[in-house]
Amino acid sequence: MTGFLGLPLAFTTPLLLAALAGLPLLWFLLRLVPPRPRRVSFAPTRLLLDIPPKEETPARTPWWLTALRLLLAAIIIFAAAGPIWNPPVAGPASSGPVVLLIDSGWPAAATWSARRASAEGVVADADLEGRGIILVPTSEPPLEPRVMAPNEARERLRTLAPVPHMPDRAPALASLRKALAAAPEASVVYLSDGVALEGVAGVPADIASAVGDHPLTTLVSGVAEPLALTAADNAVDALTVKVVRADRDTLGRSGTVRALDLRGLPLGDAPFGFEPGAKETEARFDLPVEIRNEVARLEIVDEESAGAVQLLDKRWRRRTVGVVSGATADQRQPLLAPSYYLTRALGPFADIRTADGAGTSEAVDRFIEQKLPVIILSDIGTLPPETHERLTRWIEGGGVLIRFAGPRLANGSDDLVPVTLRRGGRVLGGSLSWEQPQSLGGFSAEGPFRDVAVPNDVTVERQVLAEPDGLLASRTWATLSDGTPLVTGERRGAGTLVLFHVTADTSWSNLPISGAFVDMLRRVVALGGASAAEIAADQSGANATTGETVAPSRLLDGFGAFRPTMPTAKAIPVGFNGRASADHPPGFYGPPEGLVAVNALLPRDRLAALDLSGLGRVEPYRDVTPRDLRAPLLLALLALLLVDAMIVFLLAGGFSRLTARRAASASALLLAVGLAAALPLDRAGAQTAAPATPPASAAAPADKPMTQAQTDFAIQATNATRLAYVVTGDAETDAVSRAGLKGLTSFLGERTALEAGEPMGVDIARDELSFFPLIYWPIVPGAARPSQETLARIDAFMKQGGTIIFDTRDAETTMPGSNGAGTPANDTLRTILSGLDVPELEPVPRDHVLTKAFYLLRDFPGRFNGGTTWVEALPAAAEGEERPARAGDGVSPVVITSNDLAGAWALDDDGQPMLPVSGGGQRQRELAFRAGANLVMYVLTGNYKADQVHVPALLERLGQ
């Protein structure tokens, strides 16, 4: 099967198309039949000239009718030739098996369906010709090639999937050579992804060498070009990532990159666009640094491949560094101050917070309260005991303290340094010294600077010296050329203590103005927030081949989706920074608190298009199913035959013969109309009046207007902020609910700034729920389950920001630890919740916003105090970190309790409690009102109390 006029059209019997050459002869025959009348002179014919002709017969067939009949003949020829639109790819002509060489790396994943369809087309063509199939994917280890039957090859293609790394063509070409050597008559079809890494040359030549003289067809175009992500950078003001493609498509292209956290929740979208002919572009996320640090996955929307995913671990996080300087130049000459040099060096990879005129103790306390992972002290001498103690605890809890020397530190007696220091300093090259300024000697192979290039232009004129002891060598990270320490560090608890033995400005050395200074600070700051295993591996010199390893945790498949770990995946070193491979697929490795990300591309990787023009016949992929055109052509043939018959009928005078019949039909129609007009008026009116009033259902508009009762309800519900309760139909329960919410409203008016209106009862099946922020629903045992339509309204209310408190009121009758299981009210609640889309729930944590929304509370009692209060579960926090804030306003749509809240809030008209409380007396009732205040404030204000700005006030209230 071959293409036709450059179109995706082929014929099963193309030789029949030769009959088209006979169409001119057919035209000549149609013009001769019927033959032209012969003229004979007959004198009496003049008598006929005065008679008006009723019919005329043309002397020859009109040209347009002849063209129509030629079209009919052409359609018959095309249909007989077996036309197929989008025919399957045909392998080269040969008598041996067909070898399918398939690129099955991640570049092929996004268009895998089209590639598999083309491969199945080759198999189908080979099946018709009785040829076998040899599959050689580039994604699998080399196996002994064997000839498969077409049906077996189809099953094998259905199970074949792309791998999440670049294809390794060398082993596949070795298998191809073996297959061609075993089958000399074989032909080759190469399904190429058309992509390679820049700098990787010789791929087309290697393929041509492996194929040799065998017939070859290459499929490379016709599908969308693969896109990939690389070089993510959490910069000062934004998170950026490069979007790259091969330089095969010169047209512009646009799309969206999405950022997600570890739970898969979207954090933001960023558009990107390629200029015509451009190979790379950039997507930019303008998000706060706190949100950027939560990004764990970047992906190109609608581009399903592992290359279109960029995973980020803690190494991409932008740390916040607090800087405290003891130098007076910070105020007098800010451009020469140590803080200026530190700010310039830290700026590319960290967010910086300075003391802003505060004292050392005050600044350190503030940074520790803000939970900064890294603090820098520049020339700070002796620390106050309280500050010293707080810093010690902070370091042991995981903080990184970086200290710089100076006159104050040299003359101080502070022991918060990694090594013991000598009093005073060492001056090199002075008038009383015979030594010259020392250059940087080198970096320890066991420290974090081991991969930093040693600069030859750094000189040190003064330094603080360390007392030599047995631990000095193991704690030295950088030395001068004479072997004296320049940077020392040690682990203390879960944190790290680092000392630069020179100042942070240029008064003692020119290190702060060298590029090595930025690289050294980057690696030290990276220790902040790292796991103990990462830091230990970093300080022990772990690299890509030695040191501690971490096992696969969550790996990507070729389509960029997370899947369970692959059995062939191997552990990686903690400091692994290589490209994904068959042994190390892309994904996350290690425990949750110390994940290491492996990606399909390195930051420096770029894609290049393969020039496959010299590899045999080059054809495009076909992403559609072949379609047999014989049936549509036969239908068109039938329609044109009908048209031809109608034309012949009209030319033969058939229309005039129908005139008399049409006149008779018109007379009959007029007679029927006259009879209808002669009917009695009352009868006719009865027949026409019946449909004058359409059915009520048909006359009703699509959107029914609000009734007066609904309008009044809406006005009453919206003229003030109101709490609502569900009307259950049980008079006693509804009375307690109304009195309870009325009592809570009075309490809120006395204790808070909220002036709420009278509570309202709602019929959940009829009333609009969106007017109320909070609805209290007392569960009546045995109550009927609401209808599905009602449950849908409740579900929509909760998903649009509303909160419902379900109160089973059975805590007193519940066995301890059973959480209400087995009680009638609890069974009724389960029946209701089974029809709702309820999120995962958990008992209210001690650090939940609900415990501090207005009052600081530990429990949420009502009439009873033994029940558990349940809210939507928050994501688990890593060890040593706070629980993350929820997205949006962070309000749980569901609160479940069994403590009978409304019973504790219920007051009569004199302001006296209607129902007694069990156990705690008046104190318990007061706590119940406070719990209600927290619930209302939590619903109205969200999770703003989780912000760090409230931490000092909360600690003060707690007396800490």
Side-chain angles (χ1 to χ4, degrees), residues 120-295:
E120 290 175 347
V122 175
V123 174
D125 188 67
D127 193 7
L128 292 175
E129 297 176 0
R131 303 168 64 184
I133 302 293
I134 301 176
L135 286 182
V136 183
T138 61
S139 61
E140 297 180 353
L143 300 174
E144 193 67 27
R146 64 182 184 89
V147 179
M148 293 182 286
N151 287 336
E152 183 183 358
R154 291 189 185 95
E155 292 299 323
R156 182 72 182 85
L157 285 173
R158 292 190 184 99
T159 60
L160 185 64
V163 294
H165 52 81
M166 290 294 292
D168 188 3
R169 297 183 176 94
L173 292 181
S175 298
L176 177 62
R177 289 187 177 92
K178 291 182 180 180
L180 296 179
E185 301 299 324
S187 60
V188 181
V189 177
Y190 176 34
L191 281 73
S192 174
D193 57 26
V195 176
L197 293 178
E198 277 190 355
V200 178
V203 173
D206 293 342
I207 296 175
S209 174
V211 173
D213 297 331
H214 295 267
L216 172 63
T217 299
T218 301
L219 277 65
V220 69
S221 60
V223 292
E225 190 177 23
L227 302 179
L229 295 180
T230 186
D233 181 21
N234 199 353
V236 177
D237 54 349
L239 171 63
T240 60
V241 64
K242 296 289 185 182
V243 186
V244 298
R245 65 176 180 177
D247 196 16
R248 176 158 47 87
D249 186 1
T250 59
L251 301 178
R253 187 174 175 184
S254 60
T256 302
V257 178
R258 178 163 296 158
L260 304 100
D261 62 10
L262 277 174
R263 299 175 61 197
L265 299 177
L267 300 177
D269 290 345
F272 68 87
F274 285 96
E275 296 293 333
K279 293 183 62 176
E280 68 178 65
T281 185
E282 185 177 85
R284 178 186 178 92
F285 293 88
D286 294 309
L287 299 171
V289 65
E290 292 81 6
I291 297 180
R292 282 187 274 139
N293 284 342
E294 292 298 321
V295 175

Side-chain angles (χ1 to χ4, degrees), residues 416-439:
L416 201 59
V417 288
V419 294
T420 305
L421 301 179
R422 293 183 182 180
R423 297 278 295 185
R426 177 195 186 193
V427 180
L428 306 176
S431 58
L432 299 179
S433 173
W434 57 88
E435 298 182 63
Q436 294 299 318
Q438 295 294 311
S439 61

Side-chain angles (χ1 to χ4, degrees), residues 254-397:
S254 60
T256 302
V257 178
R258 178 163 296 158
L260 304 100
D261 62 10
L262 277 174
R263 299 175 61 197
L265 299 177
L267 300 177
D269 290 345
F272 68 87
F274 285 96
E275 296 293 333
K279 293 183 62 176
E280 68 178 65
T281 185
E282 185 177 85
R284 178 186 178 92
F285 293 88
D286 294 309
L287 299 171
V289 65
E290 292 81 6
I291 297 180
R292 282 187 274 139
N293 284 342
E294 292 298 321
V295 175
R297 175 187 173 111
L298 300 173
E299 62 180 23
I300 302 176
V301 178
D302 297 330
E303 183 79 10
E304 297 180 351
S305 76
V309 176
Q310 183 85 354
L311 301 178
L312 308 180
D313 55 28
K314 291 184 178 180
R315 293 175 291 183
W316 273 268
R317 290 186 179 179
R318 190 173 182 86
R319 271 75 171 183
T320 303
V321 180
V323 178
V324 182
S325 176
T328 57
D330 280 14
Q331 286 75 33
R332 292 186 293 101
Q333 295 175 308
L335 296 183
L336 300 177
S339 58
Y340 173 77
Y341 290 95
L342 290 172
T343 301
R344 299 282 293 182
L346 294 168
F349 56 87
D351 287 332
I352 305 162
R353 298 182 186 178
T354 58
D356 294 331
T360 300
S361 298
E362 181 182 354
V364 169
D365 291 345
R366 185 170 72 234
F367 292 157
I368 292 177
E369 289 176 357
Q370 293 173 353
K371 300 188 182 302
L372 267 60
V374 181
I375 296 177
I376 296 179
L377 300 182
S378 175
D379 192 19
I380 301 297
T382 303
L383 293 169
E386 297 82 2
T387 305
H388 185 285
E389 182 63 25
R390 291 202 67 183
L391 272 175
T392 301
R393 291 197 304 270
W394 174 77
I395 295 172
E396 293 175 350

Side-chain angles (χ1 to χ4, degrees), residues 866-899:
T868 302
T869 302
W870 297 80
V871 294
E872 181 180 359
L874 294 179
E879 184 177 356
E881 296 180 356
E882 291 192 352
R883 295 166 66 90
R886 284 165 43 85
D889 62 0
V891 177
S892 173
V894 177
V895 178
I896 299 176
T897 182
S898 59
N899 286 335

Side-chain angles (χ1 to χ4, degrees), residues 373-376 394-395 398-402 495-498 524-525 527-529:
V374 181
I375 296 177
I376 296 179
W394 174 77
I395 295 172
V400 175
L401 178 63
I402 305 173
T496 308
L497 180 59
V498 183
V524 175
V525 170
L527 300 178

Side-chain angles (χ1 to χ4, degrees), residues 24 226 324 558 607 619 638 839 888 927:
V324 182
L607 301 180
E619 292 191 10
L638 178 60
L927 291 177

Side-chain angles (χ1 to χ4, degrees), residues 559-573:
F559 299 105
F562 281 116
R563 55 163 292 175
T565 58
M566 305 173 187
T568 58
K570 300 179 181 178
I572 62 171

